[in-house]
Amino acid sequence: MKVKLIKGKVWKFGDNVDTDIISPSIYMDSPEELREHAFEAIKPEFAGEVKSGDIIVGGRNFGCGSSRESAPEVIKALGVGAVVAESFGRIFFRNAIAIGLPIITCPRVSEVFEEGDELEIDLKGAKVRNISKGKEIQSEPLYHDVLDIILKGGIISLLKGMQKNE
Amino acid sequence: MGMTLAEKILARKSGKQEVRPGDYLTADIDLAMAHESFAGAYLNLASAGIQKVWDPDRVVVVLDHYVPAPTERSAGIHQIVRSAVEQLGIKHFYDEGRGICHQILPEEGHVCPGDLIVGADSHTTTYGAFGAAGTGIGMSEMAYVLATGKLWFRVPSSIRFQLNGMLPRRVMSKDIILHIAGKYRAEVAQYRSVEFSGPTAGSLSVDGRMTMSNMALELGAKFGFFEPDEKTIAYLETRVKGPIDPIRADADVSYEEVYEVDVSGLEPQIALPWTVDNVKPVSEVGEVAVNQAVIGSCTNGRAEDLEVSAEILRNKKIHPRTRLLVFPASRAIYQEALRKGWLEALSEAGASICPPGCGVCFGAHMGLLAAGESCVASINRNFRGRMGSNDARVYLGSPATVAASAIEGKIADPRGY
Ligand code: SF4
């Protein structure tokens, strides 16, 4: 299967960005309000300024905290093309994959990128490139089943596809 | 080199000889559990055009979170679950009043050592008390499991808590796990598998082990194991159909970390608002008046917990300032507590005995707190706003500590009772 490269402008975050920061619980019952307030506690300008296709670069333990699916969902709803971080909270990582948000673990990513850099991800080859600086680093390869879920747009779309093929 | 319990089970279920931390694999699921969350999983499944589950005998559904239904909306969710269960032919359905999912599954013989169990609830780690790999997943993933019986996993690294020493009187397994959370903090097991071992682990009852496996999740753990022993087998023997596999970790295993925990002389522990790892020994908590005291939940609503609470409260009265709510983890436990006179003692002391279920534990109904109120509870979480008002304060302790606190109207040391 040929896999398209994902390309976008970097928004950079630090370590331990938790699911309450991403998806504040007071706005959780309204997807519209949640979109306006995502990441508000640490980057209030993000929700208003993020452009479709931009990419989030996080530090360690990105998405730690609760099991709410709304955290990866709001990131996807804001049009973010992918999330790259040094490491992830367990359930956030699973939920992102389940809803088809490209996500990749890349241990040195914070060193190599500044806010606003142009980033390119080769999901299949497990490579992350800084186009602005001309650097390439290795990321943790995604398991083929996981890659398949992401490329099909999430686990429910994957199931729909499986039904058709039967 | 040998394999840990997590590695062994994930290797077996994915048909591999050997797996290592960081490996990805696709595994066969032995059992899928959902509570009211089944409604969401079912709707996801239906939206994918799927009308049947991979194996109706390997699905267990329990209505426990909103029972009896406190609102019309939750009654509607129950209605969706009941008709979905019937339509899909799921036989292992426990309707409201039978108990909390994490108690019902082992009690009814659905949990076996070595099993891989996923639940649409975070505290699915509880089944680790029986040597089963239980872990929580989201509703989208649950739909996938219901359709295919498979799910991808990343093999976690493993850490071990070696428990030594004898627990002092009135100090319980809840105090051990709170102590661990306080000392090593809530991220100590993030994305890792925990094994509790050592002589003290062996000396704990099955009830006590379940409390710790349940709360392993609060340390970030994917699994929270005890190795099965004669106590496990004695508990499961009369409940499980078929042979019981006494699965163990290999002897030559190296753990990512081993923590030695000596419990002799351990004081009762309290987690203060608003995190599970904000822990102090009871003697350092100071004067904390409590408006409400709660004994119960999937963490501490079992026979051992009700027995010790009844011992402490027998022939006593709770403090006039304090309300005491008791909710047994299952109907079977409720009935045992009836027969043994524990409920009578608790009721005489002034407790309200609530039906088995989750109720107040996650702040849905039956005992919410007003702004400014404080509560001491034997549950597993004290996050802000989880039991009513954002300005209410929840303190976590063992059932013995909660019982003593109900008598004194403030957080109290159970060792004097
Ligand atoms: S008793 Fe509390 S922690 Fe346990 S399943 Fe119910 S809501 Fe969750």
Side-chain angles (χ1 to χ4, degrees):
Chain A
M1 186 182 4
K2 182 127 172 49
V3 179
K4 271 215 317 264
L5 301 176
I6 302 171
K7 214 188 290 189
K9 190 173 76 79
V10 165
W11 287 84
K12 205 171 159 188
F13 291 85
D15 293 341
N16 296 312
V17 176
D18 65 52
T19 49
D20 274 281
I21 291 172
I22 304 170
S23 159
S25 41
I26 38 167
Y27 305 114
M28 250 162 63
D29 42 9
S30 156
E32 294 79 44
E33 277 190 60
L34 192 55
R35 272 207 298 279
E36 286 166 28
H37 295 280
F39 296 97
E40 186 170 68
I42 55 167
K43 226 187 249 290
E45 72 282 12
F46 178 78
E49 294 177 14
V50 66
K51 299 257 166 355
S52 178
D54 288 355
I55 289 175
I56 287 177
V57 167
R60 278 183 295 113
N61 211 15
F62 189 92
C64 55
S66 88
S67 64
R68 58 189 73 161
E69 265 187 33
S70 63
E73 254 158 19
V74 71
I75 292 176
K76 196 178 175 191
L78 284 167
V80 170
V83 184
V84 188
E86 295 179 24
S87 65
F88 289 97
R90 170 182 174 257
I91 306 193
F92 179 86
F93 188 69
R94 291 202 75 102
N95 283 343
I97 291 160
I99 65 155
L101 173 67
I103 186 164
I104 195 154
T105 310
C106 188
R108 287 175 44 237
V109 69
S110 299
E111 294 165 27
V112 176
F113 287 91
E114 301 299 330
E115 184 114 342
D117 284 352
E118 188 87 10
L119 181 154
E120 184 179 78
I121 306 172
D122 173 357
L123 278 182
K124 199 161 187 194
K127 290 196 173 51
V128 173
R129 292 181 199 103
N130 188 332
I131 298 183
S132 315
K133 298 208 180 100
K135 281 190 194 148
E136 178 179 285
I137 50 175
Q138 193 67 33
S139 63
E140 283 181 17
L142 285 172
Y143 179 48
H144 50 78
D145 281 16
V146 168
L147 186 61
D148 200 33
I149 297 170
I150 293 176
L151 296 177
K152 297 266 166 58
I155 209 158
I156 301 298
S157 324
L158 176 78
L159 273 181
K160 283 184 192 156
M162 285 162 64
Q163 282 309 98
K164 284 206 202 88
N165 295 340
E166 252 179 29
Chain B
M1 205 176 58
M3 288 192 284
T4 64
L5 280 170
E7 289 157 13
K8 256 193 178 169
I9 295 174
L10 290 173
R12 275 191 201 172
K13 300 301 168 187
S14 59
K16 294 191 159 54
Q17 281 297 321
E18 197 181 76
V19 300
R20 290 293 159 214
D23 288 359
Y24 284 89
L25 48 82
T26 301
D28 291 327
I29 302 297
D30 290 299
L31 196 76
M33 185 284 290
H35 42 66
E36 278 86 340
S37 55
F38 192 71
Y42 169 76
L43 295 174
N44 275 333
L45 199 65
S47 80
I50 297 175
Q51 306 295 343
K52 58 181 199 311
V53 299
W54 101 100
D55 183 349
D57 281 343
R58 291 181 182 273
V59 179
V60 181
V61 179
V62 184
L63 289 181
D64 59 2
H65 272 56
Y66 300 88
V67 297
T71 59
E72 192 178 338
R73 190 171 167 269
S74 35
I77 291 172
H78 290 170
Q79 202 171 39
I80 297 174
V81 171
R82 290 190 187 103
S83 71
V85 156
E86 197 177 310
Q87 186 204 325
L88 298 170
I90 291 164
K91 287 193 281 303
H92 306 302
F93 171 54
Y94 300 91
D95 209 324
E96 67 174 45
R98 285 299 296 274
I100 303 168
C101 53
H102 302 312
Q103 179 61 29
I104 291 292
L105 259 66
E107 202 173 270
E108 295 293 328
H110 298 298
V111 174
C112 251
D115 278 359
L116 179 58
I117 304 177
V118 293
D121 185 275
S122 54
H123 292 101
T124 304
T125 53
T126 310
Y127 316 135
F130 303 91
T135 198
I137 60 173
M139 282 192 291
S140 308
E141 291 195 311
M142 181 51 78
Y144 184 84
V145 170
L146 290 174
T148 64
K150 294 183 193 304
L151 194 63
W152 69 270
F153 291 92
R154 182 170 185 246
V155 180
S157 55
S158 296
I159 60 174
R160 178 169 259 208
F161 288 98
Q162 171 81 15
L163 311 176
N164 302 314
M166 209 169 82
L167 272 181
R169 180 172 170 278
R170 297 284 187 238
V171 181
M172 305 181 69
S173 77
K174 175 66 158 280
D175 299 303
I176 307 179
I177 192 77
L178 287 176
H179 169 70
I180 289 175
K183 182 157 179 198
Y184 301 104
R185 311 314 298 242
E187 304 87 49
V188 64
Q190 184 62 252
Y191 223 135
R192 308 204 271 190
S193 170
V194 168
E195 294 181 18
F196 297 107
S197 64
T200 314
S203 72
L204 292 175
S205 65
V206 166
D207 285 4
R209 294 175 192 180
M210 287 174 75
T211 303
M212 293 186 68
S213 295
N214 178 276
M215 285 195 65
L217 185 271
E218 304 303 331
L219 309 174
K222 175 168 186 158
F223 305 126
F225 289 110
F226 283 81
E227 279 186 342
D229 61 7
E230 59 296 344
K231 286 183 191 167
T232 324
I233 311 248
Y235 181 96
L236 294 177
E237 204 159 54
T238 53
R239 307 168 193 266
V240 168
K241 294 186 209 83
I244 297 169
D245 170 14
I247 188 169
R248 312 197 123 253
D250 290 328
D252 56 338
V253 168
S254 87
Y255 291 89
E256 195 169 64
E257 233 127 12
V258 177
Y259 301 93
E260 299 269 345
V261 181
D262 189 353
V263 306
S264 27
L266 185 70
E267 259 194 63
Q269 306 282 308
I270 304 286
L272 283 71
W274 277 285
T275 55
V276 180
D277 59 358
N278 185 15
V279 175
K280 286 188 182 161
V282 67
S283 62
E284 290 171 25
V285 171
E287 279 272 319
V288 179
V290 289
N291 307 89
Q292 180 162 294
V294 174
I295 296 168
S297 84
C298 62
T299 315
N300 279 120
R302 282 175 275 280
E304 175 176 289
D305 306 315
L306 299 184
E307 182 176 26
V308 72
S309 311
E311 267 171 36
I312 291 173
L313 281 154
R314 180 164 287 123
N315 301 325
K316 301 244 175 21
K317 289 279 179 247
I318 60 173
H319 194 279
R321 168 173 65 206
T322 305
R323 322 177 280 270
L324 173 60
L325 307 176
V326 176
F327 59 112
S330 73
R331 184 180 289 160
I333 293 167
Y334 189 107
Q335 289 170 350
E336 180 180 354
L338 256 185
R339 281 195 305 275
K340 298 201 165 143
W342 303 332
L343 292 188
E344 189 178 7
L346 293 167
S347 173
E348 293 271 336
S352 298
I353 313 292
C354 306
C358 298
V360 72
C361 174
F362 71 117
H365 59 135
M366 286 199 293
L368 304 201
L369 302 170
E373 287 198 313
S374 290
C375 171
V376 60
S378 72
I379 61 175
N380 50 30
R381 280 182 176 163
N382 57 349
F383 300 157
R384 189 164 194 171
R386 188 164 160 97
M387 198 185 275
S389 168
N390 269 333
D391 297 314
R393 299 167 67 82
V394 176
Y395 296 79
L396 306 179
S398 77
T401 301
V402 176
S405 306
I407 295 170
E408 297 190 21
K410 59 179 188 196
I411 290 183
D413 189 335
R415 288 173 300 178
Y417 292 87

